[in-house]
Amino acid sequence: MQSKMQRLCALALLVTAPLAMAGGNATELRLVGQARQEVPNDQIEATFYLQEKQPQPALLADHLNQATAHALAEGRRYSHVTLTSGAYNTWPDYDRNGKIRGWQGRAEVRLKSRDMQQAAQLVAVLQQSMLMEGMQFSLSDASRRRMENTLIPNAIADLQEQARISATALGKKVHHIAELEIGNSRSSERPPRLLQAKSLSVASEGAVSEPDWQPGQTVLQIQVNGKLILE
């Protein structure tokens, strides 16, 4: 068996071998390059629901099915909006004695779109018969990928500039980049603002004015980790 000293010597040779290839006076430098950009959110997602109570489960199911079918039919009028079925649940309603006195149910539809104008129009329509559980704005996958492709070269350029400054301070030059790791993009959202309705006129009974919103921005950041050899 190799002694502990022999194993340590072998490990030292493995670590210093790459540096020896660059020259006996090489220095290893590890740096992190970053690039960030504020990007306008271009996608909206929202969930609408209807919750009812009926004495019979069949009557409850019929009401929920009709409501969701009507909502999905309305959604098909907006070609740039995707409206899909969401969660659907029914459960018994008990009295104080533990006996079933009726049935409750909840049905959802989910909205997703990159067309803010059509989405606002459909939101106003859906709110006439359903309640909104939540809404959020985000950066679409296509926009995120496109921005990442722009930020990666910028992050690498930041890494190279740091290496140049460091090398100059040490009286050396960058020999080559030995390792480069591109991390996953990170994002933080700036909250949107929901403004007043577009029309200040009084809506007719049962009608809902279209919302006028500002989707906010997402701050997208790319980080690259590199090991560089200086000579």
Side-chain angles (χ1 to χ4, degrees):
M1 294 180 62
Q2 287 183 325
S3 67
K4 182 177 180 181
M5 182 61 70
Q6 288 174 321
R7 290 196 298 270
L8 289 173
C9 290
L11 179 60
L13 288 172
L14 289 174
V15 171
T16 57
L19 296 179
M21 294 175 61
N25 195 32
T27 300
E28 180 181 298
L29 184 66
R30 292 185 177 273
L31 294 171
V32 177
Q34 295 182 344
R36 66 192 300 272
Q37 180 69 44
E38 289 188 0
V39 188
N41 291 324
D42 64 345
Q43 181 172 271
I44 178 176
E45 294 179 76
T47 300
F48 297 84
Y49 73 94
L50 177 69
Q51 187 166 319
E52 279 197 16
K53 180 189 295 186
Q54 295 292 342
Q56 298 298 326
L59 183 59
L60 173 64
D62 183 59
H63 281 203
L64 293 178
N65 293 346
Q66 286 190 37
T68 53
H70 175 72
L72 294 173
E74 289 287 348
R76 285 191 285 271
R77 297 170 48 206
Y78 300 85
S79 58
H80 296 159
V81 181
T82 300
L83 197 65
T84 58
S85 301
Y88 189 114
N89 299 287
T90 58
W91 60 94
D93 181 31
Y94 296 97
D95 62 16
R96 294 182 178 179
N97 299 318
K99 294 183 178 181
I100 296 177
R101 62 182 180 185
W103 295 83
Q104 294 188 63
R106 174 185 166 111
E108 295 179 352
V109 294
R110 295 173 180 168
L111 178 151
K112 185 174 183 179
S113 178
R114 295 181 61 185
D115 188 322
M116 298 298 171
Q117 182 177 0
Q118 284 200 6
Q121 294 172 357
L122 182 54
V123 164
V125 171
L126 294 176
Q127 286 182 315
Q128 295 178 26
S129 57
M130 305 185 81
L131 296 176
M132 180 188 290
E133 182 178 57
M135 177 184 67
Q136 66 177 11
F137 297 96
S138 62
L139 194 61
S140 65
D141 291 340
S143 294
R144 179 180 294 272
R145 285 193 297 269
R146 184 170 60 251
M147 184 53 60
E148 285 175 349
N149 291 338
T150 300
L151 291 179
I152 288 173
N154 294 341
I156 294 175
D158 178 53
L159 181 78
Q160 291 173 322
E161 178 63 12
Q162 291 183 56
R164 185 191 66 79
I165 294 172
S166 300
T168 301
L170 294 171
K172 294 176 178 289
K173 293 183 179 180
V174 178
H175 185 273
H176 68 278
I177 298 177
E179 294 178 7
L180 187 67
E181 179 184 356
I182 300 175
N184 294 327
S185 63
R186 294 181 296 173
S187 60
S188 59
E189 296 183 0
R190 295 196 171 181
R193 293 183 299 159
L194 186 61
L195 305 181
Q196 65 183 20
K198 290 182 179 179
S199 175
L200 297 180
S201 59
V202 178
S204 60
E205 185 176 355
V208 178
S209 301
E210 292 179 25
D212 184 12
W213 48 49
Q214 297 295 326
Q217 293 182 319
T218 292
V219 180
L220 197 62
Q221 179 173 300
I222 286 285
Q223 178 173 299
V224 295
N225 301 286
K227 182 174 77 172
L228 302 95
I229 306 301
L230 309 182
E231 275 194 325

